[in-house]
Amino acid sequence: MTFELGQGTGPLRGLKVVEIAGIGPSPHACMILADLGADVIRVERPGGQMLTGGSHDLLNRGRPSVALNLKDAAAVATVLDLVEQADVLVEGMRPGVAERLGLGPEECHARNPRLVYGRMTGWGQDGPWSQAAGHDMNYIAITGTLHGLGQVKEKPQFPTNLVGDFGGGSTYLVIGILAAVFEARLSGQGQVVDAAIVDGTANLNAMTSAFLAGGGFKEERAANLLDGGAPYYDIYETADGEHMSVGALEPQFYDLFVELLGIKDTAPDRWDVARTDELRELITATFKTRTRDEWCAIFDGTDACVAPILRMSEAQDHPHIKGREVFVEHEGIVQPQPAPRFSRTKATLSHPPAPGAGAHTRDALTAWGIADVDGLIERGAAVQLEG
């Protein structure tokens, strides 16, 4: 596959990004940048790393994979040559590792003072735990966010790694990078973006901080308005063992909800706290009288704020998801479209995920203007995956 720069169609077309491969949030952030038109070159260790790689790894879509042995001085020099012409560098290593490799902010800014240096970690670049290992649930645990998740009163429920890695992590890294790129184009100076999952998750959960400060928030699960404490904002099982989501908060939406559910004349007053359990039991029993598809036919497209809970394999066929083309088939893989959408500079899916680390070493380095790529491969500083 031949790579050419400037082929992206999104609003970030022309932005050049060097990605030092990591796992989880940093590749997701670089996927977003590539989706939106940036030229991203992914620098991986030869052989790849755990939990990543392969033609189905959608987090690696949209950009070439280059394998460099960063223990080799020539490979490090190659990364710095890339940095010299880049707008952004992204790395997701433990604090201090990039510096030990000779690729820290000081070395990179010496070559390119305008560079935005994006750092993605769980704990942040400083603090007592900055050098400790951790994963998504650990990061969201100490921010106070995990404690309130789920409707099981006895135990918090973690939503895979969506809240930390991608909610508080990659999303905030992208926000930080774009803000710093904008500022760099005004000031002519780059800077370091310290994106920590603990920071982003706490910021993401700002509304709960507001509820707590207001004095009306109970620090227990399924006890508040948006966590299942209210029977009109909860999940209910249907006759076929499937589930419906109910979010009928506002009075006008609630009135339509109980009307379509068929309990308008029997439902207790929603504001009568003493009868909350009675209302929940009535809604529970009523939902179990019909299948999920039967309830969908009743609530579809209404303002009752009721929607079916679909499996990933079902979601792509939902009329709204299908009509909006939220998922598309690209290079044989059903996957989400780039988001958000733009009226003039529409983003498009480009290259599929690399089949392995170093699949595009020769072509991508050549496209970025690196000299003597074959010499780097011959000496083992770079690896071209064959086949």
Side-chain angles (χ1 to χ4, degrees), residues 168-183:
S170 56
T171 301
Y172 280 83
L173 176 59
V174 170
I175 292 170
I177 286 171
L178 297 183
V181 166
F182 177 82
E183 195 280 336

Side-chain angles (χ1 to χ4, degrees), residues 120-141:
M120 183 77 258
T121 59
W123 307 117
Q125 295 297 313
D126 54 29
W129 285 17
S130 63
Q131 290 297 321
H135 281 296
D136 181 288
M137 71 163 65
N138 309 129
Y139 309 135
I140 69 174

Side-chain angles (χ1 to χ4, degrees), residues 112-166:
N112 182 354
R114 298 171 62 94
L115 182 77
V116 171
Y117 193 107
R119 315 196 83 164
M120 183 77 258
T121 59
W123 307 117
Q125 295 297 313
D126 54 29
W129 285 17
S130 63
Q131 290 297 321
H135 281 296
D136 181 288
M137 71 163 65
N138 309 129
Y139 309 135
I140 69 174
I142 70 165
T143 65
T145 303
L146 178 55
H147 180 271
L149 297 183
Q151 285 69 54
V152 178
K153 290 182 179 292
E154 297 75 23
K155 180 181 179 181
Q157 307 295 301
F158 57 97
T160 61
N161 62 334
L162 293 175
V163 172
D165 281 352
F166 304 132

Side-chain angles (χ1 to χ4, degrees), residues 123-387:
W123 307 117
Q125 295 297 313
D126 54 29
W129 285 17
S130 63
Q131 290 297 321
H135 281 296
D136 181 288
M137 71 163 65
N138 309 129
Y139 309 135
I140 69 174
I142 70 165
T143 65
T145 303
L146 178 55
H147 180 271
L149 297 183
Q151 285 69 54
V152 178
K153 290 182 179 292
E154 297 75 23
K155 180 181 179 181
Q157 307 295 301
F158 57 97
T160 61
N161 62 334
L162 293 175
V163 172
D165 281 352
F166 304 132
S170 56
T171 301
Y172 280 83
L173 176 59
V174 170
I175 292 170
I177 286 171
L178 297 183
V181 166
F182 177 82
E183 195 280 336
R185 292 186 174 180
L186 296 176
S187 68
Q189 300 178 64
Q191 61 182 308
V192 175
V193 178
D194 177 4
I197 294 174
V198 290
D199 297 349
T201 301
N203 191 276
L204 196 67
N205 203 29
M207 188 169 71
T208 303
S209 295
F211 289 156
L212 184 63
F217 184 77
K218 296 180 181 179
E219 291 192 286
E220 56 182 283
R221 286 169 292 285
N224 299 282
L225 182 65
L226 301 179
D227 63 5
Y232 40 84
Y233 200 90
D234 208 345
I235 292 170
Y236 293 94
E237 186 177 355
T238 57
D240 53 349
E242 301 295 341
H243 295 85
M244 301 291 287
S245 65
V246 175
L249 290 175
E250 293 83 355
Q252 68 273 27
F253 302 153
Y254 176 79
D255 290 344
L256 181 58
F257 164 63
V258 294
E259 179 182 341
L260 294 177
L261 193 64
I263 62 171
K264 179 180 180 180
D265 298 327
T266 56
D269 184 354
R270 70 184 295 205
W271 305 117
D272 187 345
V273 178
R275 302 186 71 183
T276 294
D277 290 343
E278 181 184 344
L279 176 58
R280 189 186 304 277
E281 290 169 4
L282 177 60
I283 295 173
T284 299
T286 305
F287 266 114
K288 286 187 176 180
T289 64
R290 298 176 188 266
T291 66
R292 185 185 69 182
D293 288 348
E294 289 172 332
W295 285 120
C296 285
I298 292 171
F299 287 107
D300 183 40
T302 72
D303 279 354
C305 301
V306 177
I309 296 179
L310 304 179
R311 296 168 180 80
M312 280 290 295
S313 57
E314 298 174 304
Q316 58 190 302
D317 292 321
H318 185 273
H320 180 77
I321 299 298
K322 196 169 185 176
R324 191 167 162 80
E325 295 186 322
V326 175
F327 292 94
V328 295
E329 183 173 337
H330 181 67
E331 299 286 347
I333 303 174
V334 175
Q335 55 194 282
Q337 286 263 38
R341 304 186 187 194
F342 300 85
S343 63
R344 185 170 52 81
T345 55
K346 181 181 178 181
T348 54
L349 293 174
S350 55
H351 307 292
H360 315 112
T361 298
R362 182 177 285 105
D363 286 346
L365 289 180
T366 300
W368 275 63
I370 300 300
D372 193 22
V373 176
D374 285 334
L376 291 170
I377 293 172
E378 289 172 7
R379 68 169 288 176
V383 174
Q384 171 64 51
L385 182 68
E386 302 298 341

